[in-house]
Amino acid sequence: MHKLFHMDLAKLRLRCAQNYLKIISEGNAPISYASGANIKLMANVTGLGPTFRVDVCVTNQGKTSIHGLELIINCNEKLYTLKAFNSKLPTLIPAVEYVMSVDVEGIDSMGSADALRVFVVNRENCVPLVSAFINMPVFDPGLADY
C-alpha cells in the first residue's frame, strides 16, 4: 500500500511538471522564460464603470535588454471598446517596470462582464512570450450619465 502511494505520488509530480512546461512553452503563463526572455506581466483595473482604466505592467527580469515586442489586448467587441489595443513596447531594460494604460469602455446595456486577454508577442515568433487574462468587473450602465 505504501509502495502504491509513492508510485501515485511520483506520477502526480510528473504530470504537474509536464503541464507546467506546457503552460510556459505555449505562452499562457504570467511569466515567460522562452528564448532567454524572462518577462513578467501584471495588470490592474481601476474604475467603477462603464469606463475603466487598465494599467498593464511589463517587467524584464532577465539580464539583457529585449526589444521589438508588442503588447496586444483582445476583448469581446460586443461588451467593450478599447482606445488602443495594439502598441509597441519600448526596449525592455532589466529590472525596470514599464506601465502602459489602456482605456476600456463597457458598451453592453446589461453591464455584463468578460475577460480581457493581454499578450506580449515578438515579431519573429507566433507563440506569445507571455499572456494574461484580466477579469473585468460588472458595471452599472446607468452610471454613464455621471
Side-chain angles (χ1 to χ4, degrees):
M1 183 177 197
H2 185 67
K3 191 175 189 180
L4 289 175
F5 170 74
H6 278 286
M7 284 178 44
D8 288 343
L9 186 61
K11 287 179 186 179
L12 180 65
R13 287 180 182 162
L14 177 64
R15 192 174 307 137
C16 288
Q18 289 172 338
N19 288 335
Y20 181 69
L21 179 64
K22 182 181 175 185
I23 286 171
I24 288 177
S25 64
E26 290 178 354
N28 291 329
I31 297 177
S32 172
Y33 301 101
S35 67
N38 190 353
I39 299 170
K40 181 180 174 184
L41 179 65
M42 296 185 308
N44 293 320
V45 179
T46 56
L48 295 174
T51 303
F52 300 99
R53 181 184 192 126
V54 178
D55 295 325
V56 179
C57 179
V58 180
T59 307
N60 179 6
Q61 296 182 327
K63 296 184 180 185
T64 60
S65 61
I66 304 170
H67 59 84
L69 300 180
E70 292 186 18
L71 180 76
I72 299 173
I73 300 176
N74 188 2
C75 70
N76 186 347
E77 294 177 355
K78 295 178 183 175
L79 300 178
Y80 301 107
T81 58
L82 298 173
K83 303 292 180 192
F85 58 89
N86 186 3
S87 60
K88 293 182 181 179
L89 290 172
T91 300
L92 299 179
I93 300 171
V96 177
E97 287 187 358
Y98 294 90
V99 179
M100 305 192 75
S101 297
V102 178
D103 293 328
V104 179
E105 185 172 348
I107 57 173
D108 186 40
S109 62
M110 299 297 292
S112 300
D114 197 7
L116 298 180
R117 289 163 292 285
V118 180
F119 304 101
V120 175
V121 296
N122 192 349
R123 293 181 200 146
E124 289 110 26
N125 197 352
C126 61
V127 177
L129 292 175
V130 64
S131 64
F133 288 89
I134 304 168
N135 289 323
M136 297 295 288
V138 178
F139 63 93
D140 184 9
L143 293 176
D145 300 332
Y146 297 104

